Amino acid sequence: MLEQARQRLPIPQADAPQIELIQADLLDLSGLPPAQLVISWRFLHLLDPELLTPALRSLTGCLTADGLLVVQAYHPRSNWRRFSGRLLRFFSTHLTGRRATPTTAAWAHIRSFLHSQSQLHASFVASGLQIRSQTRLFASWDFDCWAYSLERA
């Protein structure tokens, strides 16, 4: 996957910022030079809740003093929102006569965790981070997808 990302990078220009893609152990990033921008996309939901704060601390350690950490996270929706969504799906499939075809996603064997917003925000604070901006990217029946721009507190 890293090689595919490298192939998609634009050809560097003389005045363009340097982009470096690396593969590393998330909990041991001590040997890496500090960066002005660190992006962790579609990854935090794969971390067990006990690893969330140590992982964010490790990413924070990779930032320059004025660096920015950008992360994407999935948050579970409230029980009422999930229930109402399922109820709506039930009635829409039964009223229209259309049935959803069951599919098995290629990643169904991978365990994932929906961290609550309060849990994630507490991990940000425990990691020495503060939210610079946050944006809800989209909502599904069961979760909301958010992007956060974080800086050192």
Side-chain angles (χ1 to χ4, degrees):
M1 192 169 298
L2 200 55
E3 189 53 42
Q4 289 175 356
R6 282 192 181 105
Q7 291 172 2
R8 292 177 186 224
L9 281 176
I11 298 172
Q13 305 297 319
D15 59 343
Q18 296 299 312
I19 299 172
E20 185 178 356
L21 300 176
I22 55 171
Q23 180 177 345
D25 179 356
L26 179 61
L27 298 175
D28 184 21
L29 300 174
S30 56
L32 298 176
Q36 203 160 9
L37 175 64
V38 175
I39 301 172
S40 176
W41 207 256
R42 295 191 68 188
F43 187 71
L44 293 182
H45 67 283
L46 299 176
L47 295 174
D48 200 271
E50 296 84 43
L51 294 177
L52 189 58
T53 299
L56 288 168
R57 281 188 185 134
S58 185
L59 289 169
T60 303
C62 292
L63 294 174
T64 58
D66 61 341
L68 192 63
L69 172 61
V70 178
V71 298
Q72 176 262 340
Y74 298 109
H75 301 302
R77 300 193 90 183
S78 70
N79 289 335
W80 168 247
R81 303 273 306 244
R82 285 193 303 239
F83 172 75
S84 62
R86 288 181 181 147
L87 196 61
L88 179 64
R89 275 186 290 186
F90 173 80
F91 283 117
S92 65
T93 56
H94 284 76
L95 291 176
T96 62
R98 291 184 296 170
R99 300 264 189 247
T101 54
T103 59
T104 303
W107 56 87
H109 65 286
I110 299 173
R111 189 168 179 206
S112 64
F113 305 89
L114 294 178
H115 305 293
S116 69
Q117 242 177 342
S118 60
Q119 181 184 23
L120 191 64
H121 289 195
S123 289
F124 292 158
V125 170
S127 303
L129 294 165
Q130 64 183 10
I131 298 172
R132 184 179 196 182
S133 67
Q134 58 185 357
T135 304
R136 188 170 106 178
L137 301 175
F138 67 87
S140 79
W141 297 108
D142 297 321
F143 62 86
D144 290 327
C145 181
W146 287 78
Y148 295 92
S149 296
L150 307 158
E151 58 192 3
R152 290 179 185 267

